[in-house]
Every structure is written in C-alpha cells, then in structure tokens.
Amino acid sequence: PKMKEDHCLHAALLCLGVLCYSHGLATERLNHSRPSLHGHHEKGKEGQVLHRSKRGWVWNQFFVIEEYTGPDPVLVGRLHSDIDSGDGNIKYILSGEGAGIIFVIDDKSGNIHATKTLDREERAQYTLTAQAVDRNTNRPLEPPSEFIVKVQDINDNPPEFLHENYHANVPERSNVGTSVIQVTASDADDPTYGNSAKLVYSILEGQPYFSVEAQTGIIRTALPNMDREAKEEYHVVIQAKDMGGHMGGLSGTTKVTITLTDVNDNPPKFPQSVYQMSVSEAAVPGEEVGRVKAKDPDIGENGLVAYSIIDGDGMDMFEITTDYETQEGVVKLKKTLDYETKKSYSLKVEAANVHIDPKFISNGPFKDTVTVKIAVEDADEPPVFLKPSYIFEVQENAASGTVVGKVHAKDLDAANSAIRYSIDRHTDLERYFVINAEDGNIKTIKALDREEMAWHNISVFAVEVHKQHQEAKVPVAIKVVDINDNAPKFAAAYEAFVCENARSNQQFITISADDKDDSANGPRFIFSFPPEIIHNPNFTLRDNRDNTASVLVRREGFSRQKQDLYLLPIVISDGGVPPLSSTNTLTIRVCGCDSSGSLLSCSAEAYVLNAGLSTGALIAILACIVILLVIVVLFVTLKRQKKEPLIVFEEEDVRENIITYDDEGGGEEDTEAFDIATLQNPDGINGFIPRKDIKPEYQYLPRPGLRPTPNSVDVDDFISTRIQEADNDPTAPPYDSIQIYGYEGRGSVAGSLSSLESATTDSDLDYDYLQNWGPRFKKLADLYGSKDTFDDDS
C-alpha cells in the first residue's frame, strides 16, 4: 500500500508539473502577442528604453455543458485583469460570436453567463473577444484578447441508419458466414468525448438464419443449405446502440429484406411417365400434335428446359420444339401420315436443363425422360390423282370425238368410293373438250386450230360418288400438234416500182413470205412463176434460198404511155408434208426516173396536160356549180313559204282585242259567278284541235274518263285534264307554241289581280314607261300615268 501511494503521489506531481509548464508556455506566447500596459524596461538601440508587455488577463478554461435546463443562467467563467484593484474603475466588455445574445458579461466582476440552452450538434464552440477599459474614459487598459467557449457534449442523440429499409440478395445454399450486406448507422454526438457515439450492432429479428457483426454491421448467413424453393424472402431487424451497448445508451433500428437468389439445384421432372396423343392423317406437316412439360422448381435460366426425341419409331415422322415462354415441349408433325399404312407411333422424349451449375452436379442428373404414344386417326380424304399434272397431244383439225388422253384418280380411304370426273368449264369456255365421267377419257367435241390456240390448259375435277364435298383437282395441258393446213403468203402487201430507163437484169424488189404453220410445215419457201408465164418477157424471178426472192427486169425500154401497171403472179410453196402453195400478185408500176435512177413520177397524166384540163380541175368546177344550184333552190323555197297560224280559232288576231269586264267577281273561290263553259272550246269538245303546221298521222282520241263533263265547275280539275291531254296528244303544238293557264290554284294567298281601281289608290308603281309604248297603249298610259300628269291636266 505504501508503494501504491508513492506511485500515485509521483503521478500527481508529474501532472501538476506538466500543467505548470504548459501554462508558462501559453503565458509567454500570449505576452508576446498582447502587450500589456504594465511591464519592465528593456534597453534597445542607441540607449532607448523599451517597455516589455506583461500578461494582465487571468481566467480559467471555459466549458459549457449542452442542453442545460436549469432555472438560472449558467456561469461560464470569469474574466479578470491583474490591474483590477477591485475599486470598480475597470469595465469589462465582451464581443464576438453570440456576445450579448447567448453570452452576457458582468462589466464589473467579469463573470460570463450563458442565457440560452446550447446544442453541441448545432455548434460545438464559440469564439469571443474580451477587453478591459477604464470606466470613466473608456480607454483600453489591456489589448483585446480572444478566448473560446467549448460546448461540452452529452448523449442526447440516438444512432440513425443511413436508410430506413435495406434490400439484399444472397444465393440459396450459401455457406455459413457468407456476407450479405453491411448496414451503417451514425450518431450526432461527439465521438471524441466519452462513449456517446460508440455504436454496437445487434440483430433483433432474423435468427437463426442470419447474424450481424457488432462493430461493423455486416450481416452474414448463419444457417447452411437455405433453400429458395422452401422460403425465398426473410425480414431482418438490426439495432445500433451507443454508449458501447451499455445500459442507458440510445438505440436505432432498421429493416433489412433479404432475398435468396436461385441456383440450379433441382433437375427437371416429368409429372407422368406416359403421354397419350392423337393426330388425324389429314394433318399437314408442321401441325401441332400435343405438348409435354417437365417441372423444374428453379427459375430464370436455371429453370430452362430443352426437349428432344431420343428414340422411338416416330422419330422420322415427328419432331419436338421448346416453347420457352411456357417451358413446354411441342410435338409437331414432320411428314404426312397415312392411316392405312401405320396407325400408331411411339416416341421417347428427354427434358434436360440448359444451364448446369457444377457446384450442384451431385444433385443430378439434370434431365428426365418420358414416353409419348401417338395414335393416327382415320380421315375422310379427297380423291388423289395418280399424277400431279397431265400433258396430252392432239392434232389440229382432228375429227370430233378424237381421244386426247385419260386421267385417273382413286379414293385412298378404306371405303374406296367410286370416282366421277368433270371438266372445270371456267377453263374450257369454248367447250372444245368433254370427259367421260366414269373412266376419265378426254375427247374433242370441236375442231382445233393450232394457229388460233396452240395450248389448251384445262382443269379436271374428281369427286367421290357418295361424298360430293370430297373432290380433287388436277391441271391438264393439251398441246395442239400442227399439220400443214396454211399456205405461205406474201409477208407484206408489196408494191414495186420500175424505172422507164431500167437496165436489163436490174433488181428492183426483194420479197419474203409468211406461213402460219410452225417451222416444220413452214420454211423453207420456194418462189416461182406459174407455168403459163414461166418465160415472162418483162421480168425474171430469182430464189435466194433464204426464204426470200428477188424480182429483176428482163428487158429495157418500159413506157408509161403504153403500159404503166403490171400485175405479176408469183407462186410460193412451203416445206410441209404434203407441201402447200399459193399464188400471190405483185403490183409493179412504171415510173419516170432521172439518170441516177431516182424516182420522179409514176403518173401517166403528165403526158396529157396540154390536151385539156386535168381531172381535179374538172371535179372542182362541177362542185362549185352544184353548190350554187343548191343555194338558189333554198332561196326560192324560203320566199314562197307562207306563214299561217298554228291553230285555227278565228280569222282575226285576238291579241289586238281587249275585252273589259266591269265585274271583278268574287275572287278565285267564287266559282258560281264564273261560267266554266266559256273556257271550253266548242271545236275541242271531242278532244281534237285542228293543226295547220303539221299533218297528223292518225286521229287522236281522248282516253275515256279523262275528259271533264261540260257542266263541271271545278277549274282545277279542268286545267289538270287539259294539261294531261296536251302531254299525251301527238298533234299538240311543238315546244315553241305556248299555252298559258292563268289559274293560280285553289286557296291562293295572292290578292286580286285586277287593276281597275289602281288609279284611285295610292300605289308605289311607276307607269310612266307606258307613254313610250305607242298609240296602242295610250289609253293605259292615260289611266295609269304619273300623278304629275293628272295634276297638270286638271
């Protein structure tokens, strides 16, 4: 015990020495930077006396505990100058950060108080400046001195995690201790003072699957062989506590969602050992037969399964593909089936994982097999022709009923129904052919012409007798074989010209021939003169042996005056068996040419121009005479034509007679005051009005029931009847004859059409234009003239 006390005493003395030494150094530095008003003399240059400053401030280290909530302001510390004798003549002044607001000073004693609660996390220290001045003169007694007030930390902030929720992934079946994620919390308290910011992590939820490192916050797996297929997601709660985890510390929590990612640790497995399928023999290659599926609880690429056929008697007839969206194997038909040949097939299908993880190869094999049995169903198939198409030949001009060829079809079904044949008439519109419905023989019913149509493409139907909907169709091409039935002819309408001064043996035209038959019955062509003119005195013919011939002049001295046109017959024979020939006429004109052989004129009229007028001039003179005669006849006819009225009513012109009625009548509704008989033409009672402008071909008789009774008083019916008669009357006036009916119809909203009282009423109409209409309208101009005129007359 004594030894312990000695050691403690030595340690205390050592600490005191260190503090004194530090205080001395600080005082020395402060004295150099802040000269005091009191000091001792120091000798300088040239005998000058210097005053060395001396420290005059005395205070302790200032600390303030944060979050202090006492009733009185907390004492921070005291400022004191060594020149302060306590008589109150020195005044202490405080300035800087928070001076006068947070920190106040007693100007007499130098005590500093904090008036507000401080928060270290908001501000850890404040820098202030103190100064001592003479209270009376405010003269500084000491230089200003800075000091720092530190806010001492307390544990008032709990730990906080960077995120409220974390999400992490870890592969299934990971080893124990595999790192999953690191969570980090922070504490706003001072980490350099005490344990307020010393954090310790612990797991509150998630055991026994996961654990957390207390110092680092790293979460690790705690159980081996965790299976995603059993449980995929885990919820873990991590706590961070300060004060090193001791009691009284503050804490914060966060949630971590951990998902197990998949690994390929499960092989595919078929849920059954045999699949039964069926397909119709009428199915076409590529058609789906059925589907198989191997289940693999893994997901993503670990669950991908590829299917293949590894054995079976249907390997050549069927194929299997993988539908990666549904993870199914699709069995499809590869070739056409025949129920009558084979009724069932068997396949061995394998399903294997596409991606295999070497770590779990011991869990394999990662594949499985299944047997697929496929039954072929019988289908009602249409007939089948023995050939996909037929080609026949027949000679042109063959007699009606000539056999062209035979088509044959059969029913592949077990019933083997009888077949009936027919021609698709859309392909044989001219009906050249007919087919025997029972045996399929095709015959001609018309003569064929190769030059008109060399090929006939028809279609033949085969239909089952008892099942009309089952039919087949086959194309049949019929070639019309050529025979020599067309003689050769000139290739064009040749017209040759020979000069009057042509030389002997001079060639003036080359001719060729054309034959409608094909090459076997056409060229080569042979050109010659008919036997009767084989020694033609004017022209000779030379066969060029290339299907052309040249015509030459035999003699000299042609004359247009003697003969200007020669018709030369030429015989052309073809190379057919038997050969055919035709006589063609070559027209040769004699023309005048110059010395170089250039054509000048081929007309014989040039020699007779002096004898009289030409034919064209005579024709022009005759045409003028005929035109003049036609004009004279038309003029005389128009002069003698007499204009007569179209309809015979009276001899006088009714347009010049004005009939005045003093009685206006009772309007259009007053039918009793108007005699309908006055509108009826006595000559037209029988429906016929004589015409002088045309001569009717037959007498028109009105249809019964249309003519109104003579005593009818209904004007509307009368006019309607007259209009109908006029429309149906072939002797009615032409389009330039106008018939006017003034009746406006029953119930007209128009006022009276009479103008008898117009002169006594005020009217806005101006009738001055009547003065310019001549003597016939003088009476009307006097009645309806302007008012000014009437005033002048009065």
Side-chain angles (χ1 to χ4, degrees):
K2 186 175 183 182
M3 230 173 184
K4 277 186 186 179
E5 291 177 0
D6 291 341
H7 284 301
C8 292
L9 181 60
H10 289 165
L13 292 176
L14 181 61
C15 291
L16 182 60
V18 170
L19 290 175
C20 292
Y21 179 75
S22 300
H23 180 72
L25 290 176
T27 303
E28 185 66 23
R29 285 195 299 268
L30 195 60
N31 287 338
H32 279 291
S33 60
R34 295 185 180 90
S36 175
L37 297 177
H38 302 275
H40 58 274
H41 299 284
E42 186 175 279
K43 186 174 291 185
K45 293 181 183 181
E46 299 177 359
Q48 293 181 356
V49 178
L50 301 177
H51 298 278
R52 183 176 177 179
S53 60
K54 177 183 178 182
R55 174 173 172 78
W57 292 103
V58 178
W59 65 75
N60 297 324
Q61 184 74 29
F62 292 161
F63 293 95
V64 179
I65 299 177
E66 67 170 334
E67 304 294 344
Y68 176 75
T69 57
D72 298 325
V74 60
L75 178 64
V76 177
R78 181 183 180 188
L79 297 179
H80 183 70
S81 176
D82 56 358
I83 63 174
D84 186 2
S85 58
D87 55 2
N89 290 329
I90 295 178
K91 179 180 179 181
Y92 295 97
I93 298 174
L94 186 66
S95 61
E97 297 173 344
I101 300 174
I102 300 176
F103 303 101
V104 295
I105 189 171
D106 186 344
D107 60 354
K108 292 183 180 180
S109 63
N111 292 332
I112 301 174
H113 290 82
T115 61
K116 293 183 178 180
T117 301
L118 302 181
D119 186 1
R120 190 202 68 83
E121 287 72 39
E122 181 179 346
R123 187 160 189 163
Q125 64 182 21
Y126 297 86
T127 301
L128 298 172
T129 302
Q131 189 176 10
V133 299
D134 188 276
R135 184 176 296 275
N136 296 323
T137 63
N138 285 330
R139 183 174 59 86
L141 301 178
E142 289 284 352
S145 179
E146 287 186 356
F147 65 94
I148 296 174
V149 177
K150 292 186 177 181
V151 181
Q152 191 171 355
D153 181 55
I154 64 172
N155 189 19
D156 60 342
N157 290 279
E160 293 183 357
F161 284 92
L162 299 180
H163 303 286
E164 184 178 355
N165 293 289
Y166 288 85
H167 295 274
N169 298 322
V170 64
E172 63 174 331
R173 301 190 181 278
S174 296
N175 296 328
V176 176
T178 301
S179 176
V180 180
I181 190 176
Q182 182 177 14
V183 294
T184 305
S186 60
D187 196 318
D189 294 325
D190 189 359
T192 63
Y193 180 76
N195 294 325
S196 298
K198 186 177 181 180
L199 305 182
V200 174
Y201 298 94
S202 62
I203 183 168
L204 299 183
E205 295 181 17
Q207 302 96 337
Y209 306 102
F210 299 95
S211 63
V212 64
E213 292 183 357
Q215 305 300 325
T216 62
I218 298 175
I219 301 175
R220 300 181 183 273
T221 58
L223 281 182
N225 296 324
M226 285 190 291
D227 191 4
R228 184 199 66 82
E229 288 73 31
K231 185 177 182 180
E232 184 177 6
E233 192 173 82
Y234 296 85
H235 297 282
V236 178
V237 178
I238 302 297
Q239 174 185 266
K241 191 174 183 180
D242 59 12
M243 299 299 295
H246 294 94
M247 186 174 296
L250 302 179
S251 64
T253 60
T254 186
K255 294 181 180 180
V256 182
T257 302
I258 300 175
T259 303
L260 297 182
T261 57
D262 184 65
V263 297
N264 191 11
D265 58 340
N266 295 280
K269 187 72 177 176
F270 283 106
Q272 58 196 68
S273 59
V274 178
Y275 283 88
Q276 297 286 348
M277 299 179 184
S278 61
V279 61
S280 173
E281 66 170 334
V284 297
E287 186 173 334
E288 180 178 329
V289 178
R291 294 186 175 220
V292 298
K293 184 175 183 179
K295 295 183 179 180
D296 190 333
D298 296 323
I299 60 174
E301 66 176 12
N302 297 318
L304 294 180
V305 179
Y307 297 87
S308 60
I309 300 175
I310 60 175
D311 198 5
D313 57 0
M315 293 184 65
D316 295 334
M317 303 301 295
F318 300 92
E319 62 182 355
I320 190 168
T321 59
T322 303
D323 186 346
Y324 287 103
E325 292 185 0
T326 61
Q327 291 300 302
E328 294 176 323
V330 184
V331 181
K332 295 182 179 180
L333 183 62
K334 190 176 180 181
K335 296 181 180 180
T336 304
L337 299 173
D338 187 7
Y339 173 80
E340 289 73 24
T341 304
K342 188 174 178 60
K343 297 178 175 58
S344 64
Y345 294 89
S346 178
L347 303 173
K348 188 175 183 180
V349 177
E350 180 184 79
N353 277 139
V354 177
H355 303 282
I356 298 177
D357 193 339
K359 297 179 182 178
F360 306 99
I361 195 70
S362 60
N363 294 5
F366 287 86
K367 57 185 177 181
D368 194 17
T369 59
V370 70
T371 300
V372 179
K373 294 184 177 181
I374 303 174
V376 181
E377 297 178 348
D378 188 19
D380 188 10
E381 299 174 290
V384 176
F385 282 94
L386 299 184
K387 294 182 180 180
S389 63
Y390 292 86
I391 299 178
F392 300 129
E393 291 184 355
V394 61
Q395 282 191 344
E396 65 174 329
N397 299 327
S400 177
T402 302
V403 176
V404 177
K406 182 179 180 180
V407 297
H408 183 66
K410 66 178 182 178
D411 182 14
L412 300 180
D413 297 327
N416 193 17
S417 300
I419 306 298
R420 292 292 180 266
Y421 302 94
S422 63
I423 294 177
D424 184 1
R425 288 305 171 188
H426 293 91
T427 61
D428 186 25
L429 296 176
E430 299 296 330
R431 294 183 177 270
Y432 287 105
F433 307 96
V434 68
I435 190 170
N436 190 307
E438 295 181 357
D439 60 12
N441 276 321
I442 301 175
K443 299 180 181 180
T444 63
I445 55 176
K446 284 184 180 181
L448 304 178
D449 186 0
R450 188 205 67 86
E451 287 71 40
E452 182 180 346
M453 185 179 295
W455 285 88
H456 293 266
N457 296 305
I458 64 174
S459 297
V460 175
F461 290 112
V463 182
E464 293 183 17
V465 174
H466 302 293
K467 298 174 183 178
Q468 297 294 328
H469 64 282
Q470 294 289 3
E471 69 176 14
K473 187 177 181 180
V474 67
V476 178
I478 301 174
K479 180 181 180 182
V480 181
V481 179
D482 183 55
I483 62 174
N484 193 17
D485 59 344
N486 290 277
K489 296 180 180 180
F490 275 159
Y494 291 109
E495 186 173 358
F497 303 91
V498 61
C499 295
E500 290 179 309
N501 55 358
R503 298 184 303 274
S504 178
N505 294 327
Q506 179 180 352
Q507 176 183 336
F508 60 90
I509 189 172
T510 300
I511 58 175
S512 62
D514 188 14
D515 196 328
K516 293 182 179 180
D517 296 322
D518 63 7
S519 58
N521 293 313
R524 106 162 166 81
F525 298 124
I526 300 174
F527 300 87
S528 64
F529 285 147
E532 61 271 15
I533 61 165
I534 191 170
H535 298 291
N536 190 294
N538 300 313
F539 305 100
T540 60
L541 184 65
R542 183 179 64 201
D543 193 337
N544 298 324
R545 298 184 180 276
D546 59 354
N547 297 324
T548 64
S550 299
V551 182
L552 297 85
V553 177
R554 179 182 288 272
R555 64 179 179 84
E556 297 180 357
F558 289 92
S559 175
R560 281 181 289 172
Q561 291 180 337
K562 293 181 180 181
Q563 185 175 353
D564 63 345
L565 182 66
Y566 293 88
L567 300 178
L568 182 64
I570 299 176
V571 178
I572 308 175
S573 301
D574 60 18
V577 179
L580 294 180
S581 63
S582 66
T583 301
N584 301 265
T585 301
L586 176 63
T587 302
I588 303 174
R589 294 184 180 276
V590 179
C591 302
C593 304
D594 56 12
S595 58
S596 62
S598 299
L599 186 66
L600 294 178
S601 174
C602 293
S603 175
E605 297 177 355
Y607 294 95
V608 296
L609 285 178
N610 297 328
L613 295 176
S614 65
T615 304
L618 292 175
I619 293 174
I621 293 173
L622 291 176
C624 292
I625 294 174
V626 171
I627 293 173
L628 291 175
L629 290 175
V630 171
I631 293 174
V632 171
V633 171
L634 289 176
F635 180 79
V636 173
T637 302
L638 292 175
K639 290 291 288 182
R640 292 182 177 181
Q641 185 178 9
K642 180 179 180 182
K643 296 182 181 179
E644 296 182 357
L646 296 177
I647 302 175
V648 180
F649 286 109
E650 296 178 358
E651 292 295 329
E652 59 181 352
D653 189 359
V654 296
R655 293 174 298 176
E656 297 180 359
N657 294 283
I658 300 175
I659 302 173
T660 304
Y661 297 92
D662 295 330
D663 184 13
E664 266 187 78
E668 295 166 353
E669 299 294 338
D670 188 4
T671 58
E672 295 180 357
F674 183 78
D675 188 6
I676 190 66
T678 60
L679 292 177
Q680 298 175 350
N681 186 0
D683 296 331
I685 292 300
N686 57 1
F688 175 74
I689 300 175
R691 292 286 305 275
K692 299 181 68 175
D693 57 337
I694 63 173
K695 182 179 180 180
E697 297 178 357
Y698 61 92
Q699 184 66 34
Y700 170 73
L701 295 178
R703 289 182 293 176
L706 296 178
R707 184 167 55 89
T709 60
N711 296 326
S712 175
V713 296
D714 193 340
V715 179
D716 191 6
D717 292 342
F718 171 79
I719 293 177
S720 299
T721 303
R722 288 300 187 189
I723 292 175
Q724 189 171 2
E725 290 179 358
D727 291 339
N728 298 319
D729 185 4
T731 64
Y735 63 90
D736 58 349
S737 297
I738 301 175
Q739 294 183 4
I740 299 174
Y741 299 91
Y743 180 62
E744 292 185 2
R746 190 181 302 278
S748 174
V749 298
S752 175
L753 298 179
S754 175
S755 59
L756 295 177
E757 296 181 0
S758 299
T760 60
T761 59
D762 295 333
S763 176
D764 296 334
L765 297 177
D766 185 6
Y767 297 97
D768 290 344
Y769 57 84
L770 296 176
Q771 301 288 346
N772 301 324
W773 282 16
R776 292 187 178 183
F777 297 91
K778 185 175 185 304
K779 185 63 176 177
L780 291 176
D782 294 339
L783 291 175
Y784 300 101
S786 61
K787 294 182 180 181
D788 297 337
T789 307
F790 293 137
D791 294 339
D792 295 341
D793 295 341
S794 61

